[in-house]
Amino acid sequence: MNAPINIAGLLKKTKAVFRFNGGVHPPENKAQSTQRPIGQLALPEKLVLPLRQHIGNIPKIKVAIGDHVLKGQLIAEAEGTVSAAIHAPTSGTITAIADAVIPHPSGLSDRCITITPDGKDSWIERQPQDWRKDELAPLVKSLRLSGIVGLGGATFPTQIKLRSANTAIHTLVINAAECEPYITCDDMLMRERSEEIVLGIKVAKRLLDAENVIIGIEDNKPEAIKAMRMATENTDIQVKVVPTLYPSGDARRLVYLVLGQEVPHNKRSTEVGIQVFNVATVSALYRYFEFGEPALSRVVSMTGNVNQPQNFEVLFGTPLRHLIKAAGGAKRDTSHFIMGGPMMGFNLPSDDVPITKAANCIIAASPTLFEPPPPAMPCIRCARCADACPVSLQPQELYWFAKSDNFEKAQAYNLFDCIECGACSYVCPSDIPLVQYYRYAKSEMIALDKAKEAADIARERNEFRLARIEREKQERAAKHAARAQGAKTADSSEKTTAPNDKQAAIAAAIERAKAQKAAENTEPKNTTHLSNTTKAEIAAIDARRASVGLTETKMTTNEEKQAKITAAIASAKAQKTDANQAANETPIKNDTLAVDTEKQAKIEAAIARAKAAKAEATKPQDKGVQTKPSADAEKQAKIEAAIARAKAAKASALETKEQQAKED
Amino acid sequence: MFKVLLALMPGIAVYAWLFGGGVLITLVLATATALVTEALMLKLRHRPIQPFLSDYSAVITAWLLALAIPPLAPWWLIVVGTAFSIIIAKQLYGGLGYNPFNPAMVGYAVLLISFPVVMTKWPIALSMVETKLNFMDQFHYIFNQTLPANITIDAVTSATPLDYLKTQLKLNQSMEMIQSSPIFGVLGTQGSEYIALAYLAGGLFLWQQRVITWHLPTAFLGGIAVMASFFWAIDASQYANPMFHLFSGASMLGAFFILTDPVSGPTTPKAKLYFAAGAGIITYLIRVYGGYPDGVAFAVIFMNICVPLIDTYTQPRVFGHEK
């Protein structure tokens, strides 16, 4: 591990920036929302706080309806290793704990806590900590109560990133690239609160015991650069200006830009001694330790088709509608709202959703701002996508493999290194929604993996059962033999033992047959007490089968749609139940499992995103200009099916585990 | 793809100016045939017609073929060739994006093999003949094979220098003698060397516009140049100089317009270099040792076969992966 430290040491003073392959220059559209300072919002009438605002386990609710809570009071505590707490953003009364629509690409409802503010905004007693002097371990541990997650959009619980890792962190990279168009919340934060950010960097630096700190800012934010340069004067923090090139804000790309070091594809940056934090995250860290303020709000860019685009400090749980109103209202031709940037963001189901920790930007979209993409044409292998790919993948080949379900090849061409940044789709002259093909292939491959895993578990279970039956048989035989031995004392003839033995063997055979029969019966019987999850899966699978089968026999689009909807609902339900199950399971899980959960959550998010994006992509294609609408529908059905399969596999795996535990 | 057509225009203009308007007739015939056959095939295949016709891919195929065959060839030649290119070499393979071979070159190869005599009768530059064919003469010749009474076809056509060179060398003529023939120009062929220069200009425009990258043309011309220099250095009396090879035949048209067909070509930068260099070397070998005067079409088709293989072995290193 010496090499990277030395390299980093050498580079510390260099001004050099290392260009990665490709990247694109979408129109920035950042000026609109930087004309006004960060605005404050009036308290909304209600705050709706989804439990799922981060990557990882759903936190445990600590309040009940009717409770009065104070500002900063913990209302849901982190559960399991990867999880984040939730606090009351203002004082008020808990008026509901129920499902509500959350800002998620799936458009699903999820458990939310609703607070009706009392207007007093009175704080709970805050407990500042001396982050400069206090012992490290308790400081890091206390972060579990902070509710702070990565505010760049990844929403990974920050306490995990600050735990002492196996590898020492030598360099802390602060992500201030903000490369996606429209988003300006980090820009404005740096302009207005650079001192706070620098203090936050110092907090993170101390907690990580990092040697070097580099702030990476894209050169389209001159004012932020100036502010950060001023604030970092007389410190050993280096501000590095990187060229404006999407996706420079991707963590691995940024690390390469500022350090010239590629994080190996199969490792996390921490494994090579580099940690990456977003500017807003370090700022939150500072406020937590210095003032004892947990994560209650964030800066959100409200931009696009609104009358007064602006950044606002928004309490978590604030209804989007409230924010839109503050930005002068949406213009008349607004069609929908996008959360995140136009490259990687997703469409919100309604303007009723609350602002969450992940919401860095809300864009009001209109047909003029975001023209619907023209129908896709065939790939002509021009390889513009390969030129644009920041990971140096061959998107044209991956597209071909994904389209033909050639997953083995897709994997060989490193599909899983794809960061889904959308640069390829952006440059494609044939307007092919490439990323959606990759998401489809990824989810399909994950589903296949899961299915295989489930099959392995089932096989193991069966082997165990056979072994048990064998053991029981032997035990019974031994018992019979012992009894026969007892009888023998009365009957001195040894011959009687033989029929006894035979009888035992017969009994064993009968027993075996019974067991076998029972085993055969178990499968259908099991369906009666299947969990809701599995039932949903079955419904989803049936729906898929129906849709696929009927597509072949020229099913009407309405029926098809209906089938899809059923499948979607089923998988949605399943997803939720899954999540609950995961939450219930976590206490016994160790760290490695926690990482799995994180991955799972990511996958779920990806699938949901894929679904949303796909749904959108298929819309224009349905108009019939694309060559084979039926083929697309089929693919769509396949995707749904893949997701359903994945869920089913997971649910069955979980259940199997439970049953196995019972059996054991 | 409209820019590709645009980039061909200087070459076409020089062509028409030096050799008469006959080439324009061929171009029109080719374009019409391409559009009609493409539309017909799309209809038969139940595909939307308008978006596929308006992307100009069929027109590019038609133009490349029209520019590759002798401009005074009978009208049915270009019609047959273009129809073959579009129907067999493109649409039967699945249409745009799915054809493994360059359709124009497949059409050319079919014509060259099927109708070798008409395919090797090239007009002499107008400036070199005493009795010039005007546009209407060329029109009548293309459609009726009739010429004005005082002109014979042999007076206005000849073999290409590449062809002439090959046959004369076989007759043991010296290189000096051969190259003193009036059909040889300063760089390559009298007249058509200027067309080649115009193609070069058009190609540079495409490169400047980022429609093509430098890899394919550079490696292709480099392949020809290296081969030609090598043999020329060994025996200048038997092998023509590299400049002659670069500005004769379809070298320039091939480098910038034929090899750069993305569908049937390779995708990775390294693969482009191998592909084009290979095509250049094969082109040279066919010219010097093969049975045909020029070898661009066969070289391209041969290298098209190798594309998947070359692409597979030239995958660039992925970010975060070991070399």
Side-chain angles (χ1 to χ4, degrees):
Chain A
M1 276 343 295
N2 279 332
I5 294 169
N6 290 340
I7 292 167
L10 281 173
L11 295 173
K12 196 180 162 189
K13 294 292 168 205
T14 59
K15 295 272 174 219
V17 164
F18 302 84
R19 292 287 295 263
F20 54 84
N21 178 66
V24 291
H25 285 112
E28 288 172 19
N29 285 306
K30 286 178 187 268
Q32 299 92 312
S33 54
T34 52
Q35 306 303 316
R36 300 175 183 81
I38 298 173
Q40 299 293 329
L41 287 183
L43 269 180
E45 278 171 25
K46 59 166 188 177
L47 293 165
V48 182
L49 293 146
L51 294 180
R52 193 194 281 275
Q53 291 192 49
H54 54 265
I55 300 262
N57 303 319
I58 291 188
K60 199 166 146 195
I61 300 172
K62 301 297 277 183
V63 289
I65 295 173
D67 285 4
H68 185 263
V69 290
L70 291 168
K71 181 173 188 167
Q73 184 178 335
L74 186 85
I75 56 173
E77 76 177 353
E79 180 106 320
T81 314
V82 183
S83 184
I86 294 172
H87 302 78
T90 185
S91 58
T93 315
I94 306 287
T95 45
I97 299 174
D99 284 1
V101 179
I102 61 164
H104 193 264
S106 62
L108 298 175
S109 295
D110 203 357
R111 189 52 55 93
C112 299
I113 302 174
T114 305
I115 299 175
T116 304
D118 57 13
K120 292 177 196 149
D121 207 27
S122 44
W123 272 96
I124 196 168
E125 195 189 328
R126 280 163 278 182
Q127 288 168 329
Q129 297 174 76
D130 190 351
W131 54 271
R132 289 179 180 86
K133 293 202 185 82
D134 282 0
E135 233 182 291
L136 279 182
L139 281 179
V140 174
K141 209 174 163 204
S142 80
L143 269 175
R144 209 175 141 75
L145 298 170
S146 70
I148 297 174
V149 301
L151 294 176
T155 64
F156 190 72
T158 302
Q159 94 245 10
I160 312 288
K161 291 176 77 173
L162 286 166
R163 273 189 328 192
S164 54
N166 292 331
T167 324
I169 301 295
H170 56 74
T171 304
L172 171 62
V173 174
I174 301 298
N175 192 344
E178 198 161 58
C179 60
E180 269 230 41
Y182 284 96
I183 309 177
T184 57
C185 56
D186 289 349
D187 185 2
M188 292 311 291
L189 195 75
M190 286 188 283
R191 291 190 200 188
E192 297 187 13
R193 302 179 197 168
S194 54
E195 296 295 335
E196 197 175 284
I197 292 168
V198 170
L199 287 165
I201 291 172
K202 286 179 177 165
V203 174
K205 187 170 182 270
R206 166 138 201 264
L207 296 185
L208 289 167
D209 196 21
E211 246 177 87
N212 316 309
V213 184
I214 303 175
I215 308 173
I217 313 179
E218 273 193 352
D219 60 11
N220 60 356
K221 296 180 252 301
E223 287 170 56
I225 293 166
K226 204 174 141 201
M228 291 313 294
R229 284 223 164 108
M230 272 177 51
T232 54
E233 240 170 44
N234 305 321
T235 67
D236 52 1
I237 299 167
Q238 194 189 343
V239 175
K240 238 182 197 189
V241 178
V242 301
T244 300
L245 183 67
Y246 179 86
S248 65
D250 173 67
R252 282 162 195 261
R253 255 37 62 183
L254 187 68
V255 165
Y256 185 73
L257 275 169
V258 299
L259 290 172
Q261 189 179 351
E262 288 184 17
V263 177
H265 68 105
N266 49 2
K267 286 185 176 157
R268 287 162 181 272
S269 67
T270 47
E271 290 178 68
V272 291
I274 300 164
Q275 185 58 283
V276 185
F277 277 116
N278 170 271
V279 273
T281 314
V282 288
S283 162
L285 276 178
Y286 168 73
R287 295 198 71 80
Y288 176 67
F289 287 119
E290 187 73 25
F291 307 114
E293 290 177 13
L296 302 183
S297 66
R298 67 161 299 147
V299 179
V300 183
S301 304
M302 183 65 230
T303 182
N305 208 38
V306 288
N307 288 313
Q308 287 162 5
Q310 188 179 356
N311 281 277
F312 293 94
E313 177 90 41
V314 187
L315 294 177
F316 298 134
T318 303
L320 173 57
R321 214 174 279 153
H322 192 72
L323 179 61
I324 297 166
K325 221 168 98 188
K331 290 180 189 163
R332 193 166 293 167
D333 59 338
T334 301
S335 51
H336 60 282
F337 294 91
I338 299 168
M339 179 164 139
M343 300 293 285
M344 291 185 81
F346 60 89
N347 295 345
L348 288 169
S350 75
D351 61 355
D352 206 25
V353 296
I355 296 299
T356 60
K357 293 174 182 176
N360 49 2
C361 178
I362 306 287
I363 306 171
S366 70
T368 34
L369 275 185
F370 299 96
E371 275 177 51
M377 291 285 285
C379 169
I380 54 164
R381 290 166 48 82
C382 67
R384 299 258 172 95
C385 46
D387 294 339
C389 180
V391 194
S392 304
L393 295 168
Q394 296 291 302
Q396 79 282 1
E397 305 281 3
L398 291 173
Y399 161 69
W400 189 257
F401 298 142
K403 205 177 171 191
S404 53
D405 286 356
N406 192 348
F407 299 133
E408 222 168 275
K409 273 292 222 181
Q411 190 143 30
Y413 277 67
N414 302 302
L415 174 65
F416 278 92
D417 283 30
C418 169
I419 56 169
E420 301 178 14
C421 68
C424 50
S425 316
Y426 180 76
V427 296
C428 181
S430 292
D431 300 299
I432 302 168
L434 291 163
V435 176
Q436 282 150 44
Y437 281 93
Y438 308 148
R439 285 181 189 152
Y440 156 73
K442 280 183 187 174
S443 61
E444 192 82 335
M445 283 157 82
I446 290 163
L448 288 173
D449 251 23
K450 285 258 163 83
K452 192 182 163 289
E453 209 174 280
D456 285 347
I457 291 169
R459 203 190 56 240
E460 258 172 51
R461 262 185 73 204
N462 188 44
E463 278 165 9
F464 173 78
R465 193 179 66 85
L466 290 177
R468 194 197 60 210
I469 290 167
E470 184 62 26
R471 192 191 67 221
E472 284 171 359
K473 191 178 86 182
Q474 278 169 4
E475 280 169 5
R476 265 194 304 276
K479 219 185 275 170
H480 279 293
R483 214 177 291 156
Q485 202 69 31
K488 208 172 68 183
T489 49
D491 188 354
S492 59
S493 166
E494 277 190 7
K495 277 168 197 167
T496 46
T497 53
N500 257 351
D501 265 355
K502 219 178 249 172
Q503 219 157 17
I506 290 165
I510 291 167
E511 207 61 40
R512 213 163 42 230
K514 266 187 198 166
Q516 206 159 4
K517 211 170 176 193
E520 276 163 14
N521 283 343
T522 41
E523 307 242 341
K525 245 188 234 166
N526 266 354
T527 49
T528 55
H529 33 83
L530 275 180
S531 69
N532 286 337
T533 326
T534 326
K535 276 183 193 161
E537 311 310 0
I538 291 165
I541 289 162
D542 285 345
R544 164 178 66 89
R545 284 206 182 119
S547 86
V548 171
L550 284 168
T551 319
E552 278 161 9
T553 57
K554 303 250 154 84
M555 181 167 81
T556 66
T557 35
N558 267 346
E559 276 173 321
E560 214 169 275
K561 217 177 255 171
Q562 190 58 40
K564 268 188 228 159
I565 291 164
T566 322
I569 292 168
S571 65
K573 273 187 197 159
Q575 189 173 8
K576 238 179 72 188
T577 327
D578 272 353
N580 289 338
Q581 267 183 359
N584 292 340
E585 265 200 3
T586 40
I588 50 158
K589 277 186 179 172
N590 57 21
D591 280 6
T592 46
L593 275 174
V595 174
D596 276 347
T597 329
E598 180 208 328
K599 225 181 242 169
Q600 174 70 25
K602 268 193 200 163
I603 291 162
E604 275 179 15
I607 290 168
R609 237 181 314 152
K611 263 196 209 167
K614 181 95 202 172
E616 178 145 345
T618 42
K619 264 185 233 156
Q621 287 175 354
D622 281 346
K623 281 176 195 157
V625 200
Q626 166 62 301
T627 48
K628 296 175 288 180
S630 72
D632 280 323
E634 235 166 79
K635 195 138 267 185
Q636 172 79 13
K638 266 194 201 166
I639 293 172
E640 302 282 1
I643 294 162
R645 253 203 319 274
K647 307 272 182 207
K650 202 193 149 204
S652 75
L654 281 174
E655 285 206 346
T656 319
K657 267 186 214 157
E658 279 169 18
Q659 280 182 10
Q660 204 170 9
K662 272 179 212 160
E663 269 187 26
D664 288 347
Chain B
M1 290 194 228
F2 182 73
K3 280 181 184 164
V4 178
L5 297 179
L6 205 66
L8 278 170
M9 293 206 181
I12 293 169
V14 175
Y15 204 145
W17 179 50
L18 291 173
F19 290 89
V23 66
L24 302 177
I25 299 167
T26 315
L27 280 166
V28 169
L29 277 173
T31 309
T33 310
L35 291 176
V36 169
T37 49
E38 178 106 330
L40 190 72
M41 288 305 286
L42 287 168
K43 197 166 169 56
L44 287 175
R45 293 177 59 224
H46 307 291
R47 298 291 190 275
I49 292 170
Q50 193 270 333
F52 283 97
L53 285 192
S54 56
D55 80 341
Y56 300 112
S57 64
V59 180
I60 292 172
T61 298
W63 283 25
L64 290 177
L65 185 58
L67 294 172
I69 68 166
L72 292 183
W75 65 271
W76 51 263
L77 190 77
I78 185 64
V79 171
V80 169
T82 311
F84 194 93
S85 288
I86 297 294
I87 296 171
I88 312 279
K90 185 178 177 188
Q91 290 292 340
L92 287 192
Y93 278 103
L96 180 70
Y98 293 92
N99 47 297
F101 302 107
N102 188 316
M105 290 302 100
V106 172
Y108 178 85
V110 166
L111 293 182
L112 187 61
I113 293 167
S114 313
F115 313 103
V117 179
V118 280
M119 284 293 283
T120 43
K121 274 209 172 121
W122 287 82
I124 304 170
L126 293 178
S127 56
M128 290 167 62
V129 286
E130 281 173 20
T131 45
K132 298 172 178 45
L133 292 177
N134 62 28
F135 180 75
M136 282 321 288
D137 294 338
Q138 293 193 343
F139 182 88
H140 285 301
Y141 187 74
I142 289 169
F143 283 99
N144 305 319
Q145 303 289 297
T146 55
L147 286 170
N150 56 342
I151 303 174
T152 61
I153 188 66
D154 291 335
V156 291
T157 62
S158 79
T160 63
L162 276 171
D163 205 355
Y164 183 73
L165 180 70
K166 191 180 258 175
T167 46
Q168 293 299 308
L169 280 172
K170 279 205 186 111
L171 300 171
N172 283 324
Q173 298 286 338
S174 78
M175 182 61 80
E176 233 169 83
M177 264 286 286
I178 300 168
Q179 294 203 335
S180 65
S181 157
I183 57 170
F184 283 85
V186 187
L187 298 165
T189 312
Q190 181 67 40
S192 54
E193 61 199 8
Y194 300 112
I195 303 174
L197 278 172
Y199 288 149
L200 174 63
L204 292 176
F205 164 76
L206 287 183
W207 171 69
Q208 186 266 332
Q209 291 286 309
R210 298 188 180 200
V211 175
I212 60 172
T213 60
W214 59 270
H215 304 82
L216 289 167
T218 313
F220 178 68
L221 296 175
I224 293 178
V226 167
M227 289 296 281
S229 306
F230 178 74
F231 283 94
W232 184 57
I234 289 174
D235 188 354
S237 68
Q238 288 295 308
Y239 299 98
N241 67 62
M243 205 49 91
F244 169 79
H245 277 287
L246 290 180
F247 284 92
S248 292
S251 297
M252 285 298 161
L253 187 66
F256 292 100
F257 296 95
I258 296 170
L259 265 88
T260 50
D261 168 38
V263 175
S264 58
T267 53
T268 70
K270 251 195 223 165
K272 284 178 180 170
L273 294 178
Y274 289 129
F275 171 86
I281 291 166
I282 296 170
T283 298
Y284 182 83
L285 292 176
I286 294 175
R287 279 181 183 179
V288 176
Y289 299 108
Y292 292 98
D294 199 358
V296 174
F298 293 109
V300 168
I301 291 171
F302 178 78
M303 291 311 290
N304 282 160
I305 306 175
C306 306
V307 162
L309 187 75
I310 305 174
D311 268 345
T312 305
Y313 286 102
T314 54
Q315 287 300 309
R317 188 183 68 85
V318 174
F319 188 97
H321 283 254
E322 293 289 320
K323 184 72 203 159

